[in-house]
Amino acid sequence: METEYIKIYTGDFLTSQRIQQRLEDIGINAVVKNEDESARLAGFANPVPSLQDIYVHETELEKAKTVVDAIKNKI
């Protein structure tokens, strides 16, 4: 299956939330994939929190990369 969305970040919840908020601030609607939440909703518990993936549309990739780089460099 081909998609027009590209993964730009994989990491912890807090950093993912910061990136998602900054992307929204500049008009980019990111897609966040959270396996823990999917498992919880399906009735399965995951005792160890996993990582979140952030995807953006390919047309917004360059702007999104600058946001991710700026946040990662401040950590």
Side-chain angles (χ1 to χ4, degrees):
M1 183 169 107
E2 191 172 321
T3 180
E4 296 176 350
Y5 284 83
I6 300 169
K7 183 175 11 175
I8 60 165
Y9 180 77
T10 298
D12 64 274
F13 174 79
L14 292 177
T15 305
S16 296
Q17 290 299 304
R18 287 179 59 204
I19 291 171
Q20 184 181 10
Q21 184 59 54
R22 291 266 178 89
L23 291 172
E24 286 179 12
D25 290 345
I26 63 170
I28 297 176
N29 291 318
V31 175
V32 178
K33 183 178 178 183
N34 181 346
E35 294 293 334
D36 286 343
E37 185 64 10
S38 297
R40 185 189 67 79
L41 291 172
F44 302 102
N46 185 0
V48 179
S50 66
L51 304 175
Q52 294 187 334
D53 298 326
I54 299 178
Y55 295 82
V56 296
H57 194 270
E58 62 189 9
T59 60
E60 300 172 318
L61 181 61
E62 292 306 314
K63 289 192 325 186
K65 278 184 179 180
T66 60
V67 169
V68 172
D69 290 343
I71 290 175
K72 284 172 54 176
N73 290 331
K74 288 184 182 180
I75 296 175

mmCIF file with all atom_site columns, all heavy atoms in Angstrom, residues 56-67:
data_model
loop_
_atom_site.group_PDB
_atom_site.id
_atom_site.type_symbol
_atom_site.label_atom_id
_atom_site.label_alt_id
_atom_site.label_comp_id
_atom_site.label_asym_id
_atom_site.label_entity_id
_atom_site.label_seq_id
_atom_site.pdbx_PDB_ins_code
_atom_site.Cartn_x
_atom_site.Cartn_y
_atom_site.Cartn_z
_atom_site.occupancy
_atom_site.B_iso_or_equiv
_atom_site.pdbx_formal_charge
_atom_site.auth_seq_id
_atom_site.auth_comp_id
_atom_site.auth_asym_id
_atom_site.auth_atom_id
_atom_site.pdbx_PDB_model_num
ATOM 1  N N   . VAL A 1 56 ? 3.829  13.103 8.493  1.00 0.00 ? 56 VAL A N   1
ATOM 2  C CA  . VAL A 1 56 ? 3.291  14.301 7.853  1.00 0.00 ? 56 VAL A CA  1
ATOM 3  C C   . VAL A 1 56 ? 3.123  14.021 6.366  1.00 0.00 ? 56 VAL A C   1
ATOM 4  O O   . VAL A 1 56 ? 3.750  13.110 5.814  1.00 0.00 ? 56 VAL A O   1
ATOM 5  C CB  . VAL A 1 56 ? 4.196  15.542 8.047  1.00 0.00 ? 56 VAL A CB  1
ATOM 6  C CG1 . VAL A 1 56 ? 4.282  15.928 9.508  1.00 0.00 ? 56 VAL A CG1 1
ATOM 7  C CG2 . VAL A 1 56 ? 5.564  15.343 7.459  1.00 0.00 ? 56 VAL A CG2 1
ATOM 8  N N   . HIS A 1 57 ? 2.289  14.820 5.744  1.00 0.00 ? 57 HIS A N   1
ATOM 9  C CA  . HIS A 1 57 ? 2.090  14.693 4.306  1.00 0.00 ? 57 HIS A CA  1
ATOM 10 C C   . HIS A 1 57 ? 3.377  15.080 3.596  1.00 0.00 ? 57 HIS A C   1
ATOM 11 O O   . HIS A 1 57 ? 4.094  15.986 4.022  1.00 0.00 ? 57 HIS A O   1
ATOM 12 C CB  . HIS A 1 57 ? 0.934  15.587 3.844  1.00 0.00 ? 57 HIS A CB  1
ATOM 13 C CG  . HIS A 1 57 ? 0.472  15.264 2.471  1.00 0.00 ? 57 HIS A CG  1
ATOM 14 N ND1 . HIS A 1 57 ? 1.009  15.871 1.353  1.00 0.00 ? 57 HIS A ND1 1
ATOM 15 C CD2 . HIS A 1 57 ? -0.443 14.380 2.025  1.00 0.00 ? 57 HIS A CD2 1
ATOM 16 C CE1 . HIS A 1 57 ? 0.419  15.388 0.279  1.00 0.00 ? 57 HIS A CE1 1
ATOM 17 N NE2 . HIS A 1 57 ? -0.460 14.475 0.655  1.00 0.00 ? 57 HIS A NE2 1
ATOM 18 N N   . GLU A 1 58 ? 3.665  14.394 2.508  1.00 0.00 ? 58 GLU A N   1
ATOM 19 C CA  . GLU A 1 58 ? 4.926  14.604 1.801  1.00 0.00 ? 58 GLU A CA  1
ATOM 20 C C   . GLU A 1 58 ? 5.114  16.045 1.330  1.00 0.00 ? 58 GLU A C   1
ATOM 21 O O   . GLU A 1 58 ? 6.251  16.514 1.213  1.00 0.00 ? 58 GLU A O   1
ATOM 22 C CB  . GLU A 1 58 ? 5.064  13.630 0.634  1.00 0.00 ? 58 GLU A CB  1
ATOM 23 C CG  . GLU A 1 58 ? 3.999  13.781 -0.423 1.00 0.00 ? 58 GLU A CG  1
ATOM 24 C CD  . GLU A 1 58 ? 4.025  12.662 -1.451 1.00 0.00 ? 58 GLU A CD  1
ATOM 25 O OE1 . GLU A 1 58 ? 4.751  11.669 -1.270 1.00 0.00 ? 58 GLU A OE1 1
ATOM 26 O OE2 . GLU A 1 58 ? 3.308  12.791 -2.448 1.00 0.00 ? 58 GLU A OE2 1
ATOM 27 N N   . THR A 1 59 ? 4.041  16.779 1.085  1.00 0.00 ? 59 THR A N   1
ATOM 28 C CA  . THR A 1 59 ? 4.163  18.165 0.642  1.00 0.00 ? 59 THR A CA  1
ATOM 29 C C   . THR A 1 59 ? 4.604  19.099 1.768  1.00 0.00 ? 59 THR A C   1
ATOM 30 O O   . THR A 1 59 ? 5.019  20.224 1.511  1.00 0.00 ? 59 THR A O   1
ATOM 31 C CB  . THR A 1 59 ? 2.830  18.686 0.064  1.00 0.00 ? 59 THR A CB  1
ATOM 32 O OG1 . THR A 1 59 ? 1.822  18.605 1.077  1.00 0.00 ? 59 THR A OG1 1
ATOM 33 C CG2 . THR A 1 59 ? 2.415  17.882 -1.153 1.00 0.00 ? 59 THR A CG2 1
ATOM 34 N N   . GLU A 1 60 ? 4.517  18.631 3.025  1.00 0.00 ? 60 GLU A N   1
ATOM 35 C CA  . GLU A 1 60 ? 4.888  19.449 4.171  1.00 0.00 ? 60 GLU A CA  1
ATOM 36 C C   . GLU A 1 60 ? 6.174  18.957 4.845  1.00 0.00 ? 60 GLU A C   1
ATOM 37 O O   . GLU A 1 60 ? 6.534  19.417 5.925  1.00 0.00 ? 60 GLU A O   1
ATOM 38 C CB  . GLU A 1 60 ? 3.746  19.454 5.191  1.00 0.00 ? 60 GLU A CB  1
ATOM 39 C CG  . GLU A 1 60 ? 2.467  20.004 4.616  1.00 0.00 ? 60 GLU A CG  1
ATOM 40 C CD  . GLU A 1 60 ? 1.283  19.844 5.536  1.00 0.00 ? 60 GLU A CD  1
ATOM 41 O OE1 . GLU A 1 60 ? 1.132  18.776 6.155  1.00 0.00 ? 60 GLU A OE1 1
ATOM 42 O OE2 . GLU A 1 60 ? 0.504  20.802 5.631  1.00 0.00 ? 60 GLU A OE2 1
ATOM 43 N N   . LEU A 1 61 ? 6.857  18.055 4.187  1.00 0.00 ? 61 LEU A N   1
ATOM 44 C CA  . LEU A 1 61 ? 8.014  17.384 4.782  1.00 0.00 ? 61 LEU A CA  1
ATOM 45 C C   . LEU A 1 61 ? 9.125  18.348 5.183  1.00 0.00 ? 61 LEU A C   1
ATOM 46 O O   . LEU A 1 61 ? 9.638  18.273 6.301  1.00 0.00 ? 61 LEU A O   1
ATOM 47 C CB  . LEU A 1 61 ? 8.545  16.324 3.819  1.00 0.00 ? 61 LEU A CB  1
ATOM 48 C CG  . LEU A 1 61 ? 9.745  15.522 4.301  1.00 0.00 ? 61 LEU A CG  1
ATOM 49 C CD1 . LEU A 1 61 ? 9.410  14.755 5.574  1.00 0.00 ? 61 LEU A CD1 1
ATOM 50 C CD2 . LEU A 1 61 ? 10.217 14.580 3.203  1.00 0.00 ? 61 LEU A CD2 1
ATOM 51 N N   . GLU A 1 62 ? 9.507  19.250 4.314  1.00 0.00 ? 62 GLU A N   1
ATOM 52 C CA  . GLU A 1 62 ? 10.639 20.135 4.605  1.00 0.00 ? 62 GLU A CA  1
ATOM 53 C C   . GLU A 1 62 ? 10.359 21.039 5.803  1.00 0.00 ? 62 GLU A C   1
ATOM 54 O O   . GLU A 1 62 ? 11.219 21.210 6.671  1.00 0.00 ? 62 GLU A O   1
ATOM 55 C CB  . GLU A 1 62 ? 11.010 20.958 3.368  1.00 0.00 ? 62 GLU A CB  1
ATOM 56 C CG  . GLU A 1 62 ? 11.593 20.118 2.248  1.00 0.00 ? 62 GLU A CG  1
ATOM 57 C CD  . GLU A 1 62 ? 12.775 19.263 2.682  1.00 0.00 ? 62 GLU A CD  1
ATOM 58 O OE1 . GLU A 1 62 ? 13.670 19.782 3.371  1.00 0.00 ? 62 GLU A OE1 1
ATOM 59 O OE2 . GLU A 1 62 ? 12.805 18.073 2.327  1.00 0.00 ? 62 GLU A OE2 1
ATOM 60 N N   . LYS A 1 63 ? 9.169  21.626 5.853  1.00 0.00 ? 63 LYS A N   1
ATOM 61 C CA  . LYS A 1 63 ? 8.830  22.474 7.002  1.00 0.00 ? 63 LYS A CA  1
ATOM 62 C C   . LYS A 1 63 ? 8.791  21.656 8.279  1.00 0.00 ? 63 LYS A C   1
ATOM 63 O O   . LYS A 1 63 ? 9.240  22.106 9.329  1.00 0.00 ? 63 LYS A O   1
ATOM 64 C CB  . LYS A 1 63 ? 7.473  23.171 6.792  1.00 0.00 ? 63 LYS A CB  1
ATOM 65 C CG  . LYS A 1 63 ? 7.504  24.253 5.754  1.00 0.00 ? 63 LYS A CG  1
ATOM 66 C CD  . LYS A 1 63 ? 6.278  25.151 5.715  1.00 0.00 ? 63 LYS A CD  1
ATOM 67 C CE  . LYS A 1 63 ? 4.961  24.534 6.008  1.00 0.00 ? 63 LYS A CE  1
ATOM 68 N NZ  . LYS A 1 63 ? 3.815  25.437 5.820  1.00 0.00 ? 63 LYS A NZ  1
ATOM 69 N N   . ALA A 1 64 ? 8.271  20.445 8.204  1.00 0.00 ? 64 ALA A N   1
ATOM 70 C CA  . ALA A 1 64 ? 8.170  19.590 9.385  1.00 0.00 ? 64 ALA A CA  1
ATOM 71 C C   . ALA A 1 64 ? 9.549  19.169 9.884  1.00 0.00 ? 64 ALA A C   1
ATOM 72 O O   . ALA A 1 64 ? 9.785  19.108 11.091 1.00 0.00 ? 64 ALA A O   1
ATOM 73 C CB  . ALA A 1 64 ? 7.317  18.365 9.068  1.00 0.00 ? 64 ALA A CB  1
ATOM 74 N N   . LYS A 1 65 ? 10.462 18.902 8.973  1.00 0.00 ? 65 LYS A N   1
ATOM 75 C CA  . LYS A 1 65 ? 11.818 18.507 9.370  1.00 0.00 ? 65 LYS A CA  1
ATOM 76 C C   . LYS A 1 65 ? 12.505 19.609 10.168 1.00 0.00 ? 65 LYS A C   1
ATOM 77 O O   . LYS A 1 65 ? 13.234 19.332 11.116 1.00 0.00 ? 65 LYS A O   1
ATOM 78 C CB  . LYS A 1 65 ? 12.658 18.168 8.143  1.00 0.00 ? 65 LYS A CB  1
ATOM 79 C CG  . LYS A 1 65 ? 12.449 16.792 7.610  1.00 0.00 ? 65 LYS A CG  1
ATOM 80 C CD  . LYS A 1 65 ? 13.414 16.556 6.470  1.00 0.00 ? 65 LYS A CD  1
ATOM 81 C CE  . LYS A 1 65 ? 13.290 15.186 5.892  1.00 0.00 ? 65 LYS A CE  1
ATOM 82 N NZ  . LYS A 1 65 ? 14.234 14.965 4.784  1.00 0.00 ? 65 LYS A NZ  1
ATOM 83 N N   . THR A 1 66 ? 12.290 20.857 9.794  1.00 0.00 ? 66 THR A N   1
ATOM 84 C CA  . THR A 1 66 ? 12.920 21.956 10.532 1.00 0.00 ? 66 THR A CA  1
ATOM 85 C C   . THR A 1 66 ? 12.397 22.030 11.959 1.00 0.00 ? 66 THR A C   1
ATOM 86 O O   . THR A 1 66 ? 13.152 22.324 12.883 1.00 0.00 ? 66 THR A O   1
ATOM 87 C CB  . THR A 1 66 ? 12.724 23.308 9.824  1.00 0.00 ? 66 THR A CB  1
ATOM 88 O OG1 . THR A 1 66 ? 11.338 23.594 9.714  1.00 0.00 ? 66 THR A OG1 1
ATOM 89 C CG2 . THR A 1 66 ? 13.363 23.310 8.444  1.00 0.00 ? 66 THR A CG2 1
ATOM 90 N N   . VAL A 1 67 ? 11.118 21.739 12.146 1.00 0.00 ? 67 VAL A N   1
ATOM 91 C CA  . VAL A 1 67 ? 10.534 21.727 13.493 1.00 0.00 ? 67 VAL A CA  1
ATOM 92 C C   . VAL A 1 67 ? 11.155 20.602 14.319 1.00 0.00 ? 67 VAL A C   1
ATOM 93 O O   . VAL A 1 67 ? 11.571 20.815 15.458 1.00 0.00 ? 67 VAL A O   1
ATOM 94 C CB  . VAL A 1 67 ? 9.003  21.569 13.425 1.00 0.00 ? 67 VAL A CB  1
ATOM 95 C CG1 . VAL A 1 67 ? 8.414  21.298 14.793 1.00 0.00 ? 67 VAL A CG1 1
ATOM 96 C CG2 . VAL A 1 67 ? 8.367  22.802 12.795 1.00 0.00 ? 67 VAL A CG2 1
#
